[in-house]
Amino acid sequence: MVTSTQPTTQTLYDQDYYLWLRTTINQLRTGQFSAVDLENLLEELETISRSQKRTITNLLIKLFVHLLKLKYWDKERERNQGHWKGEIRTFRIQIKDELKDSPSLKPYILEIFDECYQNARKEASDRSQLPLDIFPVIPIGSLEQILDDWLPIQKNEG
């Protein structure tokens, strides 16, 4: 009786993740579906989905935080507004890139919009050491404004 010295895909998954990925891709491309480590493949796909959602959530919170700082942190605005505006642009680009790759995440942004804003209020308060009630409970802009070139300050303010 001959025993295989080739590791099983389950063992491969635990021992060499990259090799497991390459093997799984090759198995799928060549139609070797019965050889695919389906349990771990499904787990990885679910992880990717959660990761994309987490990325959108984190970017939206960071975007809100910088918009709030720009609007309400008067003491630091003059010194930091260039940096904050740059971060705002970067977060918007990153969110738009995520949505370009996965347009079906747009409804998810609407689901998390208010929650992200509330988290951003707390973070902005922590970072600025301004009282939480300085930052309005209602979001300072619509989703369209938040993702567009809109800024929550007058042109002559900055």
Side-chain angles (χ1 to χ4, degrees):
M1 178 181 191
V2 177
T3 57
S4 172
T5 58
Q6 196 92 17
T8 65
T9 53
Q10 176 64 45
T11 305
L12 194 56
Y13 179 81
D14 295 329
Q15 293 177 350
D16 188 336
Y17 180 74
Y18 180 76
L19 182 57
W20 174 83
L21 278 175
R22 299 303 317 154
T23 300
T24 301
I25 290 167
N26 187 50
Q27 289 168 336
L28 291 169
R29 283 199 172 127
T30 59
Q32 299 173 33
F33 303 119
S34 62
V36 171
D37 176 7
L38 196 55
E39 183 179 326
N40 284 316
L41 179 58
L42 290 171
E43 186 176 315
E44 289 301 314
L45 292 172
E46 288 172 351
T47 299
I48 291 168
S49 172
R50 285 189 303 271
S51 178
Q52 281 193 298
K53 285 182 165 183
R54 216 173 7 259
T55 297
I56 288 285
T57 300
N58 291 334
L59 289 169
L60 188 57
I61 290 170
K62 289 177 181 180
L63 175 56
F64 272 132
V65 166
H66 283 77
L67 289 167
L68 288 167
K69 289 193 295 188
L70 186 63
K71 173 76 175 166
Y72 296 100
W73 200 0
D74 297 333
K75 183 177 174 186
E76 293 293 323
R77 184 181 308 120
E78 187 175 330
R79 187 174 71 174
N80 290 307
Q81 71 179 332
H83 171 72
W84 294 339
K85 287 178 181 179
E87 291 291 289
I88 289 166
R89 182 176 308 280
T90 297
F91 297 138
R92 284 174 169 160
I93 290 168
Q94 290 174 338
I95 290 170
K96 287 175 185 174
D97 286 348
E98 290 291 325
L99 292 177
K100 191 184 311 173
D101 289 344
S102 301
S104 62
L105 283 172
K106 182 117 186 203
Y108 177 69
I109 289 182
L110 290 170
E111 284 177 39
I112 62 168
F113 189 79
D114 289 330
E115 181 181 349
C116 287
Y117 178 74
Q118 297 308 320
N119 289 332
R121 285 179 65 235
K122 293 172 190 166
E123 186 174 333
S125 176
D126 291 344
R127 293 188 181 277
S128 66
Q129 298 193 0
L130 293 170
L132 182 60
D133 63 0
I134 293 284
F135 306 102
V137 175
I138 296 171
I140 61 171
S142 67
L143 178 59
E144 291 73 26
Q145 288 174 312
I146 298 301
L147 296 181
D148 198 12
D149 287 335
W150 170 84
L151 293 172
I153 57 173
Q154 300 295 327
K155 292 292 183 194
N156 60 2
E157 287 183 63

